[in-house]
Amino acid sequence: MNAQSSPTGSALDAYWMPFTANRQFKDKPRMLARASGMYYETTDGRKILDGVAGLWCVNAGHGRREITAAVAKQLEVMDYAPPFQMGHPDAFALAGELVKIAPAGLAHVFFTNSGSESVDTALKIALAYHRAKGDAARVRLLGRERGYHGVGFGGISVGGMTANRKAWPAAMIPGVDHLRHTHDLARNAFSRGLPAHGVELADDLERLVSLHDASTIAAVIVEPIAGSTGVVLPPKGYLQRLRAICDRHGILLIFDEVITGFGRTGSPFAAQEFGVTPDIITCAKGLTNGAIPMGAVLVSKKIYDTFMQGPAGIELFHGYTYSAHPAACAAGLATLAIYQQEGLLTRAKQMAPAFENAVHGLRGLPHVIDVRNYGLVAGIELDPIPGAPGKRAFDIYLKCFEQGLLIRTTGDIIALSPALIIEQKHIDELLGILSCALQ
Ligand SMILES: Cc1ncc(COP(=O)(O)O)c(C=O)c1O
């Protein structure tokens, strides 16, 4: 037990917390103080099993000293390097390592600082790519209902979350349309792995092509597995069909792998797991094991080469002060080395059967209307309390935290995405606490 003083009362006022019910939280704060392996510790010294790898990012578990040491060493040697018209060796080394684990053909890397920035960067690259090859009429971007692509204006526009459309209706970028989502409880409830029904939902892309004409469409962006809107899985064959339709019409396919990247599904990227290679992958989170903010956009050789054939000078008018920050690159290199040494990029495949059996053991508990899973991701959907959407799941969230478990909820869906180092004993502990809370 390592109790640590914690702010209370007016000391909580100044910090405006993101995606948080601030007043509710400040009334009864939940404060984390330290983390190691599969566990957090609260400021009052309670051990909390981390069922969500922080926020889908700490894939190698908490407190990895190799990463800490690499970052500390880098900051001592060189704290910062401007990424515009200057380079530093680790930026090139990290891009090279990423390309090695990426699907074949995704051979170039643009660095960002978050998933949101990766998404907006990918959308800008898609638009600029068509313009660079003389196809400037391709200005439309397509997303999907229930998609989450971060919080930038591009990301909320292609995303399909109603709350964004309600809060910022005038700020949506023009020309965007959406595919139908693939969530179908009537046909697919309690699926193990990819759901059997719904491949035809990919044909919705043909509908949008007929409506807008392919000559106006630049790209379609989807999450291979949607996480933030409640673990929505692609029906068998769906991503393959999207790829085929994109190819037929010269539309770029972007996979937002901010949560599926770095081993979550059992392969380095979901693209490899599902055997579908997009033109662009966005990633972040697991890239540095959550230790330092960083994101990346992986693009195909075809896209990069198109830019490199244009007039001499700056090929893409885009970048961030902290793109390829030396500390982030050091963290990324150390993280990828851990993933390789410990086989973590494919470990989810090994652990998936035990995890799947454990989560499906929740079937039959009060209010559980679906359990779905893939690799080391699971979604448990609860019957909402009439008139109080989200309350049932959030009450479970609070109960779990009291009992020593961190989960994530969105609406009335519980998401689990433990670190890839998880062992059977953690699975037992996690499901033990969660099933007690549900009961
Ligand atoms: C698929 C997806 N894209 C983008 C983002 C945004 O990432 P960030 O919060 O790092 O901006 C997230 C975050 O959860 C995500 O799940």
PDB file of all heavy atoms in Angstrom, residues 59-96:
ATOM      1  N   ASN A  59      -0.462  -1.907 -24.434  1.00  0.00           N
ATOM      2  CA  ASN A  59      -0.549  -3.294 -24.888  1.00  0.00           C
ATOM      3  C   ASN A  59       0.486  -4.210 -24.244  1.00  0.00           C
ATOM      4  O   ASN A  59       0.258  -5.401 -24.106  1.00  0.00           O
ATOM      5  CB  ASN A  59      -0.415  -3.351 -26.417  1.00  0.00           C
ATOM      6  CG  ASN A  59      -1.650  -2.804 -27.114  1.00  0.00           C
ATOM      7  OD1 ASN A  59      -2.569  -2.310 -26.453  1.00  0.00           O
ATOM      8  ND2 ASN A  59      -1.679  -2.870 -28.429  1.00  0.00           N
ATOM      9  N   ALA A  60       1.648  -3.651 -23.866  1.00  0.00           N
ATOM     10  CA  ALA A  60       2.695  -4.484 -23.255  1.00  0.00           C
ATOM     11  C   ALA A  60       2.639  -4.442 -21.729  1.00  0.00           C
ATOM     12  O   ALA A  60       3.572  -4.874 -21.049  1.00  0.00           O
ATOM     13  CB  ALA A  60       4.067  -4.032 -23.742  1.00  0.00           C
ATOM     14  N   GLY A  61       1.542  -3.925 -21.189  1.00  0.00           N
ATOM     15  CA  GLY A  61       1.424  -3.810 -19.737  1.00  0.00           C
ATOM     16  C   GLY A  61       2.122  -2.556 -19.237  1.00  0.00           C
ATOM     17  O   GLY A  61       2.939  -1.947 -19.940  1.00  0.00           O
ATOM     18  N   HIS A  62       1.773  -2.185 -18.002  1.00  0.00           N
ATOM     19  CA  HIS A  62       2.260  -0.917 -17.436  1.00  0.00           C
ATOM     20  C   HIS A  62       3.694  -1.006 -16.901  1.00  0.00           C
ATOM     21  O   HIS A  62       4.153  -2.069 -16.495  1.00  0.00           O
ATOM     22  CB  HIS A  62       1.361  -0.502 -16.272  1.00  0.00           C
ATOM     23  CG  HIS A  62      -0.031  -0.137 -16.691  1.00  0.00           C
ATOM     24  ND1 HIS A  62      -0.362   1.086 -17.203  1.00  0.00           N
ATOM     25  CD2 HIS A  62      -1.190  -0.859 -16.670  1.00  0.00           C
ATOM     26  CE1 HIS A  62      -1.671   1.123 -17.469  1.00  0.00           C
ATOM     27  NE2 HIS A  62      -2.190  -0.048 -17.157  1.00  0.00           N
ATOM     28  N   GLY A  63       4.312   0.170 -16.891  1.00  0.00           N
ATOM     29  CA  GLY A  63       5.583   0.328 -16.172  1.00  0.00           C
ATOM     30  C   GLY A  63       6.753  -0.361 -16.845  1.00  0.00           C
ATOM     31  O   GLY A  63       7.638  -0.895 -16.164  1.00  0.00           O
ATOM     32  N   ARG A  64       6.763  -0.380 -18.183  1.00  0.00           N
ATOM     33  CA  ARG A  64       7.843  -1.060 -18.875  1.00  0.00           C
ATOM     34  C   ARG A  64       9.110  -0.208 -18.799  1.00  0.00           C
ATOM     35  O   ARG A  64       9.220   0.841 -19.410  1.00  0.00           O
ATOM     36  CB  ARG A  64       7.456  -1.330 -20.332  1.00  0.00           C
ATOM     37  CG  ARG A  64       6.231  -2.225 -20.496  1.00  0.00           C
ATOM     38  CD  ARG A  64       6.333  -3.555 -19.776  1.00  0.00           C
ATOM     39  NE  ARG A  64       7.483  -4.327 -20.144  1.00  0.00           N
ATOM     40  CZ  ARG A  64       7.442  -5.493 -20.806  1.00  0.00           C
ATOM     41  NH1 ARG A  64       6.286  -6.035 -21.146  1.00  0.00           N
ATOM     42  NH2 ARG A  64       8.549  -6.134 -21.088  1.00  0.00           N
ATOM     43  N   ARG A  65      10.075  -0.702 -18.017  1.00  0.00           N
ATOM     44  CA  ARG A  65      11.301   0.068 -17.732  1.00  0.00           C
ATOM     45  C   ARG A  65      12.122   0.329 -18.994  1.00  0.00           C
ATOM     46  O   ARG A  65      12.834   1.321 -19.096  1.00  0.00           O
ATOM     47  CB  ARG A  65      12.163  -0.656 -16.691  1.00  0.00           C
ATOM     48  CG  ARG A  65      11.522  -0.762 -15.334  1.00  0.00           C
ATOM     49  CD  ARG A  65      11.309   0.614 -14.684  1.00  0.00           C
ATOM     50  NE  ARG A  65      10.189   0.567 -13.771  1.00  0.00           N
ATOM     51  CZ  ARG A  65       9.211   1.483 -13.695  1.00  0.00           C
ATOM     52  NH1 ARG A  65       9.206   2.526 -14.480  1.00  0.00           N
ATOM     53  NH2 ARG A  65       8.236   1.351 -12.841  1.00  0.00           N
ATOM     54  N   GLU A  66      12.028  -0.593 -19.976  1.00  0.00           N
ATOM     55  CA  GLU A  66      12.802  -0.398 -21.217  1.00  0.00           C
ATOM     56  C   GLU A  66      12.355   0.897 -21.904  1.00  0.00           C
ATOM     57  O   GLU A  66      13.164   1.619 -22.484  1.00  0.00           O
ATOM     58  CB  GLU A  66      12.562  -1.564 -22.185  1.00  0.00           C
ATOM     59  CG  GLU A  66      12.819  -2.946 -21.614  1.00  0.00           C
ATOM     60  CD  GLU A  66      11.577  -3.584 -20.980  1.00  0.00           C
ATOM     61  OE1 GLU A  66      10.857  -2.910 -20.221  1.00  0.00           O
ATOM     62  OE2 GLU A  66      11.352  -4.773 -21.223  1.00  0.00           O
ATOM     63  N   ILE A  67      11.052   1.173 -21.837  1.00  0.00           N
ATOM     64  CA  ILE A  67      10.528   2.375 -22.495  1.00  0.00           C
ATOM     65  C   ILE A  67      10.938   3.611 -21.700  1.00  0.00           C
ATOM     66  O   ILE A  67      11.421   4.599 -22.267  1.00  0.00           O
ATOM     67  CB  ILE A  67       8.981   2.297 -22.643  1.00  0.00           C
ATOM     68  CG1 ILE A  67       8.596   1.038 -23.421  1.00  0.00           C
ATOM     69  CG2 ILE A  67       8.439   3.549 -23.315  1.00  0.00           C
ATOM     70  CD1 ILE A  67       7.101   0.746 -23.462  1.00  0.00           C
ATOM     71  N   THR A  68      10.770   3.535 -20.400  1.00  0.00           N
ATOM     72  CA  THR A  68      11.165   4.659 -19.538  1.00  0.00           C
ATOM     73  C   THR A  68      12.627   5.014 -19.763  1.00  0.00           C
ATOM     74  O   THR A  68      12.977   6.192 -19.914  1.00  0.00           O
ATOM     75  CB  THR A  68      11.005   4.264 -18.042  1.00  0.00           C
ATOM     76  OG1 THR A  68       9.805   3.525 -17.894  1.00  0.00           O
ATOM     77  CG2 THR A  68      10.992   5.481 -17.148  1.00  0.00           C
ATOM     78  N   ALA A  69      13.481   4.001 -19.789  1.00  0.00           N
ATOM     79  CA  ALA A  69      14.922   4.244 -19.930  1.00  0.00           C
ATOM     80  C   ALA A  69      15.233   4.864 -21.290  1.00  0.00           C
ATOM     81  O   ALA A  69      16.041   5.801 -21.394  1.00  0.00           O
ATOM     82  CB  ALA A  69      15.686   2.929 -19.755  1.00  0.00           C
ATOM     83  N   ALA A  70      14.569   4.365 -22.339  1.00  0.00           N
ATOM     84  CA  ALA A  70      14.833   4.885 -23.689  1.00  0.00           C
ATOM     85  C   ALA A  70      14.422   6.356 -23.781  1.00  0.00           C
ATOM     86  O   ALA A  70      15.133   7.180 -24.366  1.00  0.00           O
ATOM     87  CB  ALA A  70      14.087   4.048 -24.725  1.00  0.00           C
ATOM     88  N   VAL A  71      13.284   6.691 -23.190  1.00  0.00           N
ATOM     89  CA  VAL A  71      12.791   8.074 -23.241  1.00  0.00           C
ATOM     90  C   VAL A  71      13.728   8.987 -22.428  1.00  0.00           C
ATOM     91  O   VAL A  71      14.126  10.059 -22.891  1.00  0.00           O
ATOM     92  CB  VAL A  71      11.341   8.156 -22.710  1.00  0.00           C
ATOM     93  CG1 VAL A  71      10.897   9.601 -22.532  1.00  0.00           C
ATOM     94  CG2 VAL A  71      10.394   7.421 -23.650  1.00  0.00           C
ATOM     95  N   ALA A  72      14.101   8.526 -21.235  1.00  0.00           N
ATOM     96  CA  ALA A  72      14.969   9.344 -20.371  1.00  0.00           C
ATOM     97  C   ALA A  72      16.297   9.610 -21.072  1.00  0.00           C
ATOM     98  O   ALA A  72      16.799  10.742 -21.098  1.00  0.00           O
ATOM     99  CB  ALA A  72      15.192   8.628 -19.041  1.00  0.00           C
ATOM    100  N   LYS A  73      16.844   8.562 -21.672  1.00  0.00           N
ATOM    101  CA  LYS A  73      18.142   8.700 -22.347  1.00  0.00           C
ATOM    102  C   LYS A  73      18.013   9.690 -23.506  1.00  0.00           C
ATOM    103  O   LYS A  73      18.850  10.588 -23.689  1.00  0.00           O
ATOM    104  CB  LYS A  73      18.588   7.324 -22.849  1.00  0.00           C
ATOM    105  CG  LYS A  73      19.955   7.324 -23.451  1.00  0.00           C
ATOM    106  CD  LYS A  73      20.462   5.899 -23.640  1.00  0.00           C
ATOM    107  CE  LYS A  73      21.574   5.915 -24.674  1.00  0.00           C
ATOM    108  NZ  LYS A  73      21.456   4.849 -25.649  1.00  0.00           N
ATOM    109  N   GLN A  74      16.966   9.544 -24.289  1.00  0.00           N
ATOM    110  CA  GLN A  74      16.783  10.431 -25.444  1.00  0.00           C
ATOM    111  C   GLN A  74      16.651  11.888 -25.004  1.00  0.00           C
ATOM    112  O   GLN A  74      17.260  12.787 -25.599  1.00  0.00           O
ATOM    113  CB  GLN A  74      15.542  10.005 -26.238  1.00  0.00           C
ATOM    114  CG  GLN A  74      15.249  10.899 -27.432  1.00  0.00           C
ATOM    115  CD  GLN A  74      16.433  11.003 -28.383  1.00  0.00           C
ATOM    116  OE1 GLN A  74      16.961   9.996 -28.843  1.00  0.00           O
ATOM    117  NE2 GLN A  74      16.893  12.216 -28.649  1.00  0.00           N
ATOM    118  N   LEU A  75      15.883  12.125 -23.941  1.00  0.00           N
ATOM    119  CA  LEU A  75      15.669  13.513 -23.500  1.00  0.00           C
ATOM    120  C   LEU A  75      16.971  14.136 -23.004  1.00  0.00           C
ATOM    121  O   LEU A  75      17.178  15.343 -23.123  1.00  0.00           O
ATOM    122  CB  LEU A  75      14.576  13.578 -22.431  1.00  0.00           C
ATOM    123  CG  LEU A  75      13.154  13.363 -22.971  1.00  0.00           C
ATOM    124  CD1 LEU A  75      12.141  13.300 -21.832  1.00  0.00           C
ATOM    125  CD2 LEU A  75      12.749  14.454 -23.956  1.00  0.00           C
ATOM    126  N   GLU A  76      17.833  13.294 -22.448  1.00  0.00           N
ATOM    127  CA  GLU A  76      19.122  13.836 -22.003  1.00  0.00           C
ATOM    128  C   GLU A  76      20.021  14.176 -23.175  1.00  0.00           C
ATOM    129  O   GLU A  76      20.746  15.166 -23.152  1.00  0.00           O
ATOM    130  CB  GLU A  76      19.814  12.844 -21.071  1.00  0.00           C
ATOM    131  CG  GLU A  76      19.202  12.924 -19.697  1.00  0.00           C
ATOM    132  CD  GLU A  76      19.903  12.081 -18.663  1.00  0.00           C
ATOM    133  OE1 GLU A  76      20.911  11.439 -18.988  1.00  0.00           O
ATOM    134  OE2 GLU A  76      19.405  12.071 -17.526  1.00  0.00           O
ATOM    135  N   VAL A  77      19.972  13.365 -24.209  1.00  0.00           N
ATOM    136  CA  VAL A  77      20.861  13.574 -25.352  1.00  0.00           C
ATOM    137  C   VAL A  77      20.343  14.703 -26.249  1.00  0.00           C
ATOM    138  O   VAL A  77      21.085  15.594 -26.650  1.00  0.00           O
ATOM    139  CB  VAL A  77      20.991  12.266 -26.173  1.00  0.00           C
ATOM    140  CG1 VAL A  77      21.802  12.487 -27.432  1.00  0.00           C
ATOM    141  CG2 VAL A  77      21.615  11.189 -25.323  1.00  0.00           C
ATOM    142  N   MET A  78      19.038  14.651 -26.569  1.00  0.00           N
ATOM    143  CA  MET A  78      18.438  15.707 -27.398  1.00  0.00           C
ATOM    144  C   MET A  78      16.955  15.776 -27.077  1.00  0.00           C
ATOM    145  O   MET A  78      16.209  14.832 -27.326  1.00  0.00           O
ATOM    146  CB  MET A  78      18.646  15.419 -28.894  1.00  0.00           C
ATOM    147  CG  MET A  78      18.057  16.500 -29.781  1.00  0.00           C
ATOM    148  SD  MET A  78      18.539  16.314 -31.524  1.00  0.00           S
ATOM    149  CE  MET A  78      17.717  14.803 -31.987  1.00  0.00           C
ATOM    150  N   ASP A  79      16.537  16.916 -26.524  1.00  0.00           N
ATOM    151  CA  ASP A  79      15.153  17.044 -26.067  1.00  0.00           C
ATOM    152  C   ASP A  79      14.165  17.203 -27.207  1.00  0.00           C
ATOM    153  O   ASP A  79      13.046  16.718 -27.160  1.00  0.00           O
ATOM    154  CB  ASP A  79      15.023  18.230 -25.098  1.00  0.00           C
ATOM    155  CG  ASP A  79      15.662  19.512 -25.638  1.00  0.00           C
ATOM    156  OD1 ASP A  79      16.179  19.495 -26.781  1.00  0.00           O
ATOM    157  OD2 ASP A  79      15.659  20.524 -24.913  1.00  0.00           O
ATOM    158  N   TYR A  80      14.580  17.909 -28.248  1.00  0.00           N
ATOM    159  CA  TYR A  80      13.633  18.232 -29.316  1.00  0.00           C
ATOM    160  C   TYR A  80      14.397  18.426 -30.607  1.00  0.00           C
ATOM    161  O   TYR A  80      15.536  18.900 -30.594  1.00  0.00           O
ATOM    162  CB  TYR A  80      12.851  19.519 -28.964  1.00  0.00           C
ATOM    163  CG  TYR A  80      11.944  19.948 -30.097  1.00  0.00           C
ATOM    164  CD1 TYR A  80      10.735  19.291 -30.321  1.00  0.00           C
ATOM    165  CD2 TYR A  80      12.320  20.958 -30.982  1.00  0.00           C
ATOM    166  CE1 TYR A  80       9.922  19.637 -31.396  1.00  0.00           C
ATOM    167  CE2 TYR A  80      11.506  21.310 -32.054  1.00  0.00           C
ATOM    168  CZ  TYR A  80      10.316  20.644 -32.260  1.00  0.00           C
ATOM    169  OH  TYR A  80       9.520  20.970 -33.323  1.00  0.00           O
ATOM    170  N   ALA A  81      13.773  18.073 -31.709  1.00  0.00           N
ATOM    171  CA  ALA A  81      14.366  18.341 -33.027  1.00  0.00           C
ATOM    172  C   ALA A  81      13.245  18.804 -33.949  1.00  0.00           C
ATOM    173  O   ALA A  81      12.186  18.171 -33.991  1.00  0.00           O
ATOM    174  CB  ALA A  81      15.004  17.074 -33.584  1.00  0.00           C
ATOM    175  N   PRO A  82      13.408  19.899 -34.675  1.00  0.00           N
ATOM    176  CA  PRO A  82      12.334  20.352 -35.564  1.00  0.00           C
ATOM    177  C   PRO A  82      12.139  19.344 -36.699  1.00  0.00           C
ATOM    178  O   PRO A  82      13.111  18.914 -37.318  1.00  0.00           O
ATOM    179  CB  PRO A  82      12.850  21.693 -36.108  1.00  0.00           C
ATOM    180  CG  PRO A  82      14.324  21.672 -35.889  1.00  0.00           C
ATOM    181  CD  PRO A  82      14.594  20.777 -34.711  1.00  0.00           C
ATOM    182  N   PRO A  83      10.887  18.960 -36.944  1.00  0.00           N
ATOM    183  CA  PRO A  83      10.653  17.948 -37.983  1.00  0.00           C
ATOM    184  C   PRO A  83      10.528  18.526 -39.395  1.00  0.00           C
ATOM    185  O   PRO A  83      10.430  17.765 -40.347  1.00  0.00           O
ATOM    186  CB  PRO A  83       9.330  17.315 -37.550  1.00  0.00           C
ATOM    187  CG  PRO A  83       8.608  18.401 -36.829  1.00  0.00           C
ATOM    188  CD  PRO A  83       9.650  19.282 -36.197  1.00  0.00           C
ATOM    189  N   PHE A  84      10.484  19.844 -39.506  1.00  0.00           N
ATOM    190  CA  PHE A  84      10.336  20.441 -40.839  1.00  0.00           C
ATOM    191  C   PHE A  84      11.725  20.762 -41.385  1.00  0.00           C
ATOM    192  O   PHE A  84      12.476  21.530 -40.788  1.00  0.00           O
ATOM    193  CB  PHE A  84       9.505  21.737 -40.790  1.00  0.00           C
ATOM    194  CG  PHE A  84       8.165  21.615 -40.081  1.00  0.00           C
ATOM    195  CD1 PHE A  84       7.524  22.742 -39.581  1.00  0.00           C
ATOM    196  CD2 PHE A  84       7.550  20.381 -39.922  1.00  0.00           C
ATOM    197  CE1 PHE A  84       6.296  22.646 -38.937  1.00  0.00           C
ATOM    198  CE2 PHE A  84       6.322  20.269 -39.268  1.00  0.00           C
ATOM    199  CZ  PHE A  84       5.697  21.406 -38.779  1.00  0.00           C
ATOM    200  N   GLN A  85      12.050  20.218 -42.516  1.00  0.00           N
ATOM    201  CA  GLN A  85      13.333  20.419 -43.201  1.00  0.00           C
ATOM    202  C   GLN A  85      14.543  19.932 -42.385  1.00  0.00           C
ATOM    203  O   GLN A  85      15.674  20.270 -42.689  1.00  0.00           O
ATOM    204  CB  GLN A  85      13.551  21.911 -43.580  1.00  0.00           C
ATOM    205  CG  GLN A  85      12.419  22.528 -44.366  1.00  0.00           C
ATOM    206  CD  GLN A  85      12.335  22.028 -45.827  1.00  0.00           C
ATOM    207  OE1 GLN A  85      12.969  21.047 -46.187  1.00  0.00           O
ATOM    208  NE2 GLN A  85      11.547  22.706 -46.634  1.00  0.00           N
ATOM    209  N   MET A  86      14.301  19.184 -41.286  1.00  0.00           N
ATOM    210  CA  MET A  86      15.377  18.585 -40.487  1.00  0.00           C
ATOM    211  C   MET A  86      14.948  17.168 -40.095  1.00  0.00           C
ATOM    212  O   MET A  86      13.750  16.882 -40.044  1.00  0.00           O
ATOM    213  CB  MET A  86      15.623  19.381 -39.191  1.00  0.00           C
ATOM    214  CG  MET A  86      16.199  20.771 -39.363  1.00  0.00           C
ATOM    215  SD  MET A  86      17.818  20.804 -40.192  1.00  0.00           S
ATOM    216  CE  MET A  86      18.817  19.891 -39.055  1.00  0.00           C
ATOM    217  N   GLY A  87      15.922  16.339 -39.821  1.00  0.00           N
ATOM    218  CA  GLY A  87      15.595  14.980 -39.389  1.00  0.00           C
ATOM    219  C   GLY A  87      16.413  14.597 -38.178  1.00  0.00           C
ATOM    220  O   GLY A  87      17.306  15.334 -37.759  1.00  0.00           O
ATOM    221  N   HIS A  88      16.072  13.463 -37.561  1.00  0.00           N
ATOM    222  CA  HIS A  88      16.955  12.840 -36.566  1.00  0.00           C
ATOM    223  C   HIS A  88      16.840  11.332 -36.775  1.00  0.00           C
ATOM    224  O   HIS A  88      15.779  10.843 -37.221  1.00  0.00           O
ATOM    225  CB  HIS A  88      16.613  13.288 -35.134  1.00  0.00           C
ATOM    226  CG  HIS A  88      15.278  12.837 -34.643  1.00  0.00           C
ATOM    227  ND1 HIS A  88      15.101  11.657 -33.956  1.00  0.00           N
ATOM    228  CD2 HIS A  88      14.043  13.381 -34.762  1.00  0.00           C
ATOM    229  CE1 HIS A  88      13.816  11.515 -33.652  1.00  0.00           C
ATOM    230  NE2 HIS A  88      13.156  12.553 -34.128  1.00  0.00           N
ATOM    231  N   PRO A  89      17.909  10.585 -36.503  1.00  0.00           N
ATOM    232  CA  PRO A  89      17.961   9.182 -36.932  1.00  0.00           C
ATOM    233  C   PRO A  89      16.791   8.321 -36.445  1.00  0.00           C
ATOM    234  O   PRO A  89      16.300   7.468 -37.190  1.00  0.00           O
ATOM    235  CB  PRO A  89      19.294   8.687 -36.353  1.00  0.00           C
ATOM    236  CG  PRO A  89      20.138   9.923 -36.264  1.00  0.00           C
ATOM    237  CD  PRO A  89      19.186  11.049 -35.927  1.00  0.00           C
ATOM    238  N   ASP A  90      16.338   8.534 -35.205  1.00  0.00           N
ATOM    239  CA  ASP A  90      15.291   7.640 -34.679  1.00  0.00           C
ATOM    240  C   ASP A  90      13.976   7.751 -35.440  1.00  0.00           C
ATOM    241  O   ASP A  90      13.186   6.796 -35.470  1.00  0.00           O
ATOM    242  CB  ASP A  90      15.046   7.916 -33.190  1.00  0.00           C
ATOM    243  CG  ASP A  90      16.050   7.193 -32.306  1.00  0.00           C
ATOM    244  OD1 ASP A  90      16.950   6.523 -32.857  1.00  0.00           O
ATOM    245  OD2 ASP A  90      15.934   7.301 -31.072  1.00  0.00           O
ATOM    246  N   ALA A  91      13.707   8.914 -36.044  1.00  0.00           N
ATOM    247  CA  ALA A  91      12.462   9.060 -36.811  1.00  0.00           C
ATOM    248  C   ALA A  91      12.491   8.091 -37.992  1.00  0.00           C
ATOM    249  O   ALA A  91      11.503   7.400 -38.285  1.00  0.00           O
ATOM    250  CB  ALA A  91      12.312  10.496 -37.303  1.00  0.00           C
ATOM    251  N   PHE A  92      13.627   8.005 -38.652  1.00  0.00           N
ATOM    252  CA  PHE A  92      13.763   7.113 -39.809  1.00  0.00           C
ATOM    253  C   PHE A  92      13.765   5.651 -39.348  1.00  0.00           C
ATOM    254  O   PHE A  92      13.186   4.787 -39.997  1.00  0.00           O
ATOM    255  CB  PHE A  92      15.034   7.462 -40.588  1.00  0.00           C
ATOM    256  CG  PHE A  92      14.949   8.855 -41.170  1.00  0.00           C
ATOM    257  CD1 PHE A  92      15.363   9.965 -40.438  1.00  0.00           C
ATOM    258  CD2 PHE A  92      14.395   9.057 -42.428  1.00  0.00           C
ATOM    259  CE1 PHE A  92      15.244  11.252 -40.949  1.00  0.00           C
ATOM    260  CE2 PHE A  92      14.280  10.342 -42.948  1.00  0.00           C
ATOM    261  CZ  PHE A  92      14.705  11.439 -42.205  1.00  0.00           C
ATOM    262  N   ALA A  93      14.429   5.422 -38.205  1.00  0.00           N
ATOM    263  CA  ALA A  93      14.488   4.043 -37.682  1.00  0.00           C
ATOM    264  C   ALA A  93      13.093   3.553 -37.316  1.00  0.00           C
ATOM    265  O   ALA A  93      12.702   2.423 -37.652  1.00  0.00           O
ATOM    266  CB  ALA A  93      15.408   3.994 -36.459  1.00  0.00           C
ATOM    267  N   LEU A  94      12.301   4.402 -36.654  1.00  0.00           N
ATOM    268  CA  LEU A  94      10.961   3.972 -36.238  1.00  0.00           C
ATOM    269  C   LEU A  94      10.062   3.743 -37.459  1.00  0.00           C
ATOM    270  O   LEU A  94       9.316   2.757 -37.514  1.00  0.00           O
ATOM    271  CB  LEU A  94      10.329   5.000 -35.283  1.00  0.00           C
ATOM    272  CG  LEU A  94       8.935   4.635 -34.768  1.00  0.00           C
ATOM    273  CD1 LEU A  94       8.918   3.282 -34.050  1.00  0.00           C
ATOM    274  CD2 LEU A  94       8.395   5.718 -33.819  1.00  0.00           C
ATOM    275  N   ALA A  95      10.145   4.644 -38.431  1.00  0.00           N
ATOM    276  CA  ALA A  95       9.344   4.447 -39.651  1.00  0.00           C
ATOM    277  C   ALA A  95       9.723   3.102 -40.289  1.00  0.00           C
ATOM    278  O   ALA A  95       8.849   2.321 -40.707  1.00  0.00           O
ATOM    279  CB  ALA A  95       9.572   5.592 -40.628  1.00  0.00           C
ATOM    280  N   GLY A  96      11.023   2.810 -40.324  1.00  0.00           N
ATOM    281  CA  GLY A  96      11.489   1.545 -40.911  1.00  0.00           C
ATOM    282  C   GLY A  96      10.951   0.337 -40.147  1.00  0.00           C
ATOM    283  O   GLY A  96      10.519  -0.657 -40.750  1.00  0.00           O
TER     284      GLY A  96
END
